[in-house]
Amino acid sequence: MSVQLTSPQFKGNARRALADPQLQKALGNVGQNFVEKRRQVAAKLPEFDALCDAARDLKDHTLAHLDLYLEAYERRVTEQGGKVHWAVTSAEACHVVLDICKRVGAKNVTKGKSMISEEIGLNDFLAANGISPVETDLGEYIIQLRHEPPSHIIAPAVHLNKEQIEADFRRAHQSLPPGRNLEAPTALLAEARSVLREKFLAADVGITGANFLIAETGSSVIVTNEGNGDLTQTLPKVHIVLASIEKIVPTLEDVSTLLRLLARSATGQEMTAYTSFSTGPRRSGDPDGPGEYHVVILDNGRSAMLGGQFREMLRCIRCGACMNHCPVYHAVGGHAYGWVYPGPMGAVLTPALVGIDKAGHLPNASTFCGRCEEICPVRIPLPKLMRHWREREFERHLAPAAARWGLGIWAYFVRRPRLYRLVTRIAMRTLSLLGSRRGRLKWLPLARGWTRHRDFPAPEGHTFQSRWKRRARYMP
Amino acid sequence: MSARDTVLASVRRSLGVTGREAPRRSAADDRLSRHPRGIIPKRGKLPEKQRIKLFCNQVEDAHGTIEQLASPEQVPAAVAAYLRSKNLPMSVRRGSDPRLEAIPWQSEPTLEVLLGRSDGNELASVSHALGAVAESGTLVLASGPDNPTTLNFLPDHHIVVVDADDIAGDYETVWDAVRDRFAGKLPRMINWITGPSRSADIEQTHLLGAHGPRSVHVLVIGKP
Ligand code: SF4
């Protein structure tokens, strides 16, 4: 795995992100655009909630029969002249792609946006082997120029401002006149369009991801707004699709149900500009299209997830709504999460794929406000799954010593109710006396992490239990 | 063990199955062969007149433009007028789809009509859609010897002709038409196109004309 993992340093990442004014300005765009547009477009479709239930059920059905649908899918791809390659690990998937590129003598490789490619670290791997793929999604292209990972699963460059992108283009496109005006976003887009047009036309191999793989027809589906994925899969002589096992959907009807939810949840559109269904290589008589069609199906830990508490996470259709609605993501952005999948979905998925020992901070970086679960189009109970990770962390003694120690003391007292009542009564009285003047405490033993940033409201002097008792006495 | 066998074995271990259980197999086979429909939004089930109206509105909502013509004979003049309105040279490229072949292009003598795939040098193309979906204003195009995919993506302006009779309410109706036409298999490429190419990758600002066409113009034939 060549993608640098910085999830273990989440706390430091988050602190830096909060102190970065550029990033904070850029993150302001997430809440305003995505959230409001999604709300409007979902409100316009009375069947939206029913579709979410249907999507959950159809995903559950598919996962319960995943082996059979994978086999059916493979048969269909093969019948149409395509080839399916299986990969247990990231490294295997990278080698499959490299071997194909080498065999056809690829010099120029273009790529459509693919999170699986980020997950397996494909770009760095190919570069180390003498092949420099070019990202063609505008956001991915920008972050490739900056050697950064994406900070959002559908808007990879959402952490950047126009001025930063302009500086990157000036640095990368040295052959263009230095005095050109790149102030307007349209000028930046036009420049990227013309630079990348050359790359599209020169490519020998095009690599895309897949939003869905359809078992009924052996098709791969990509959903884009730019059209870059389509040029990537249409122009070169070889098309390679990268997808993970849970991308399988049984039928064209099933994929239609999911497509009614995907764009609405992701960008607040009724439908993206392009939804393309590729089935095998160029047919006889076809004037265009790739001569070879390959699909690399990656497991990378997912088949193991199927068996346990985290199976529901495999329903995810990568719409990004959970991060768009997450207060923690809004505050720290995607890079702080330290791997390719940020936000609530990343907080559940990353520990499953890289290990809870390395990504333990992520399921803890949540306020449990529950908005992610509310808006998830396939109804993944993200907070519950994060809680499962916290439990596992605790069981495996990975939780910080102070937390374990604190919980240990608490457990001692709650198992002794009389002692518990006595101790809490004394504590409440003391705290009330200490804070009586201002009604707030500036400092609290064992809770400095809290009081460093805000005051703690002082208790009024009675415990909940004693008040409850008194209340009960007045009841008829 | 091959990677394939390892993955499938691991999936089965997690699910606690062998893969040979008859009820599971028939559940999957059944879904694949019967392909039951899911929930179809009410707006996907409107009567014809309202359906076409919804389609037109949705195309415009997706930043496309649309025009209704009484017959295919009017296409050349409409194409020429569109090119003029955009200040484009009088030239288009198209595939040799029989429905496009039947159009009397010579009725517009100043319009140059080239045939075949795009190499990225033309400014405008004309395609014929296999169908369309009213609920989202989506055009459905299929690749084939007479319908190059490159015409959908490389030119700056994409003009798409669709018969009013082929405008369905929902996606599912179009899938059935595709199954009928291609004997249960899909052509190499099915493109759903909903408005022109766009990007919001720079500060979430919505910009048209990213890598594909900057404009999509739809000509609906019949039943104006
Ligand atoms: S977890 Fe749900 S909301 Fe988040 S990306 Fe996946 S499908 Fe979308």
Side-chain angles (χ1 to χ4, degrees), chain A residues 327-394:
Chain A
V328 177
Y329 181 94
H330 283 182
V332 301
H335 284 161
Y337 290 81
W339 202 51
V340 291
Y341 301 110
M345 58 80 72
V348 177
L349 192 59
T350 304
L353 300 184
V354 307
I356 184 66
D357 49 330
K358 299 195 193 70
H361 288 310
L362 306 188
N364 286 291
S366 163
T367 64
F368 280 174
C369 70
R371 281 175 90 193
C372 51
E373 179 173 4
E374 246 166 65
I375 47 79
C376 174
V378 284
R379 306 234 189 270
I380 299 176
L382 292 152
K384 180 182 96 183
L385 300 184
M386 282 184 242
R387 212 171 295 123
H388 285 331
W389 278 126
R390 291 186 185 186
E391 285 157 19
R392 282 218 193 167
E393 219 190 353
F394 195 82

